[in-house]
Amino acid sequence: MPDSSRVLVLNSGSSSLKFALLDPHSGEQYLSGIGEALGSSEPLLSWRSPGQKHSRQLDGGAAHAVVIELLVRELLEETSLAQGALIAVGHRVVHGGERFARSALIDQQVIDTIAECADLAPLHNPPGLLGIHAAINAFPELPQVAVFDTAFHQTLPRHAYLYALPYSLYRDQRIRRYGMHGSSHRFVSERAADLLGKPLQETNLISAHLGNGASLTAVKNGESVDTSMGLTPLEGLVMGTRCGDVDAGLLMHLGDALGFSLEKIGCLLNRESGLLGISELSNDCRELERAAAEGHDGARLALEIFCYRLAKYIAAYTVPLQRIDALVFTGGIGENSAFVRQAVLCQLQHLGYQLDNHRNQSTRFGAEGRISKDGTAAALVIPTNEEWIIARDAASLVERGD
Ligand code: AMP
């Protein structure tokens, strides 16, 4: 493979398309951007290349194909990167069901299987396919690779992925826990093993991806053995606007006693709960920290519940792991919130975690490092880089040609 190889990474949502052009070996990004409000009357494209930021209003109704078309016609040229250096397009695909335990070169069969998995992720897989089709049209000669959010968790044992529901629901409908954020958990696991100086296959970790969506994964000998998200991203930790774990009986109560429709319940649990719902202020951790410092009780309570649930989940993952080489914080909150990291580690002192305040406060945006005292249980901050892992997978599949 030429040294100058590049991979275009696409992350396609229902009304957005994120893209990044990077070197799969070094992770260096040459171009990244996002098309937002796609399909609306005022779609917007913004992008950055080293040292430069741009944005452009697109014609009303412009969708994914228009963004990719602009990428091909203008942006790739502007960065003076000959298209010849492009070796593949890597696509983030949310749900690969039980069919994909690793990334796959896209052919018609893979496209059909992603479409079949769409009933498990009706909000995510269809837009992923939009991006795939648009990219195939734009780059018909390039290999396209699908990298699945769920794939890393396909190593979960049965007792971790099955719900205690009638078994037929799993057998007939594939209802089970799948987990998400797999590329992020995988990326930080590999980095953590490097930092610890251990082979990944001998490393046990708890990876906390804390962004607007949040999930925790127990990694044993380099493989995911439990994770907090389930059939959908709603299960597990408290998130920006999602509630995480609730009593399933709540759904009947909301429906029967309060007359809520299923649609209303879905909206309540996914978009109106979590940090936003509790604080009645914001889903943004930064804003909540500011408000809590000024005495806003809802903000304080939201952060308290968020950190308590997280600490409780971390402690629970000592069961599958027994030995933990490191606890890793990543995602917008995990990488940046010294407050959350402190509040969580304070509740885990019985597991040997002792925060080094100076290290915790001085870990800067984008930097990785240890935040617990030397000689105590290791807690690390590792910035995630899902684009890089997608680019790497794409490059290695193209290299191997399978
Ligand atoms: P993500 O979904 O990974 O982009 O993460 C978004 C979350 O990270 C939001 O809740 C932000 O408030 C939070 N975040 C970003 N920067 C900071 C910061 N400096 N301090 C606290 N939270 C932050």
Side-chain angles (χ1 to χ4, degrees):
M1 194 182 308
D3 281 347
S4 60
S5 56
R6 317 261 185 263
V7 173
L8 177 65
V9 172
L10 298 179
N11 180 353
S12 192
S14 55
S15 61
S16 70
L17 178 68
K18 289 191 200 152
F19 54 87
L21 180 72
L22 61 160
D23 180 323
H25 305 294
S26 68
E28 186 181 352
Q29 284 209 4
Y30 302 98
L31 175 74
S32 64
I34 181 167
E36 290 171 282
L38 299 179
S40 78
S41 55
E42 293 190 335
L44 181 71
L45 177 64
S46 28
W47 71 98
R48 61 168 69 203
S49 44
Q52 290 184 310
K53 270 183 167 177
H54 315 262
S55 67
R56 183 196 292 186
Q57 201 72 52
L58 301 175
D59 291 341
H64 300 67
V66 173
V67 175
I68 291 182
E69 160 77 14
L70 275 170
L71 257 172
V72 177
R73 252 193 307 116
E74 295 181 32
L75 303 188
L76 294 180
E77 295 300 325
E78 256 177 44
T79 53
S80 67
L81 293 161
Q83 278 195 28
L86 253 189
I87 57 162
V89 183
H91 297 266
R92 174 187 179 220
V93 180
V94 169
H95 222 302
E98 292 187 319
R99 306 289 289 280
F100 295 102
R102 55 187 58 84
S103 302
L105 265 177
I106 295 176
D107 57 16
Q108 191 54 46
Q109 199 184 351
V110 168
I111 289 177
D112 292 344
T113 312
I114 294 171
E116 280 164 30
C117 294
D119 56 348
L120 294 168
L123 299 179
H124 294 105
N125 275 22
L129 283 170
L130 269 181
I132 289 172
H133 287 303
I136 290 174
N137 279 335
F139 303 99
E141 74 293 352
L142 277 186
Q144 313 268 336
V145 170
V147 179
F148 301 91
D149 261 23
T150 48
F152 184 57
H153 303 301
Q154 279 298 297
T155 44
L156 256 63
R158 278 197 311 181
H159 61 258
Y161 72 66
L162 282 176
Y163 291 114
L165 294 169
Y167 191 77
S168 58
L169 280 174
Y170 170 63
R171 194 174 44 233
D172 304 337
Q173 309 293 336
R174 294 289 155 210
I175 289 179
R176 51 159 281 182
R177 310 181 61 254
Y178 288 95
M180 313 276 153
H181 292 145
S183 299
S184 175
H185 291 298
R186 198 177 124 209
F187 180 84
V188 300
S189 299
E190 291 176 16
R191 279 301 305 143
D194 269 3
L195 287 176
L196 296 167
K198 286 175 76 107
L200 179 62
Q201 297 74 9
E202 293 169 20
T203 305
N204 288 3
L205 302 161
I206 296 180
S207 162
H209 177 107
L210 310 175
N212 201 28
S215 70
L216 196 72
T217 293
V219 177
K220 187 171 192 176
N221 298 326
E223 293 187 338
S224 173
V225 292
D226 207 346
T227 193
S228 61
M229 283 181 169
L231 174 73
T232 76
L234 194 50
E235 190 179 341
L237 304 176
V238 175
M239 309 182 212
T241 61
R242 296 189 195 116
C243 56
D245 294 343
V246 289
D247 175 358
L250 168 73
L251 310 188
M252 280 79 85
H253 182 78
L254 291 174
D256 291 343
L258 304 182
F260 284 20
S261 67
L262 272 183
E263 194 189 345
K264 187 164 176 177
I265 294 173
C267 186
L268 180 107
L269 302 182
N270 278 295
R271 296 202 218 119
E272 297 169 4
S273 298
L275 293 174
L276 173 68
I278 303 163
S279 67
E280 299 186 305
L281 180 69
S282 171
N283 63 323
D284 188 313
C285 185
R286 266 168 303 200
E287 198 175 332
L288 294 180
E289 285 182 31
R290 274 195 294 269
E294 287 162 10
H296 189 289
D297 193 49
R300 266 189 203 158
L301 182 62
L303 290 168
E304 207 177 308
I305 296 174
F306 179 90
C307 295
Y308 173 64
R309 175 88 56 90
L310 177 55
K312 212 164 61 154
Y313 252 96
I314 291 169
Y317 283 176
T318 60
V319 173
L321 294 182
Q322 300 291 315
R323 186 200 81 237
I324 300 162
D325 297 314
L327 164 63
V328 182
F329 290 93
T330 194
I333 298 174
E335 291 165 34
N336 298 301
S337 176
F339 175 93
V340 165
R341 295 190 301 247
Q342 174 172 22
V344 171
L345 286 200
C346 272
Q347 298 179 67
L348 297 171
Q349 294 186 36
H350 62 292
L351 297 181
Y353 291 99
Q354 281 187 38
L355 191 75
D356 182 315
N357 273 320
H358 175 69
R359 286 177 181 167
N360 187 38
Q361 295 294 340
S362 57
T363 299
R364 295 267 165 264
F365 176 77
E368 57 187 23
R370 184 182 174 113
I371 55 164
S372 56
K373 291 183 181 157
D374 291 338
T376 70
L380 310 174
V381 173
I382 300 184
T384 193
N385 193 334
E386 291 165 271
E387 288 85 10
W388 192 7
I389 214 154
I390 293 170
R392 265 172 24 195
D393 273 15
S396 77
L397 275 172
V398 169
E399 207 168 30
R400 293 206 313 262
D402 57 6

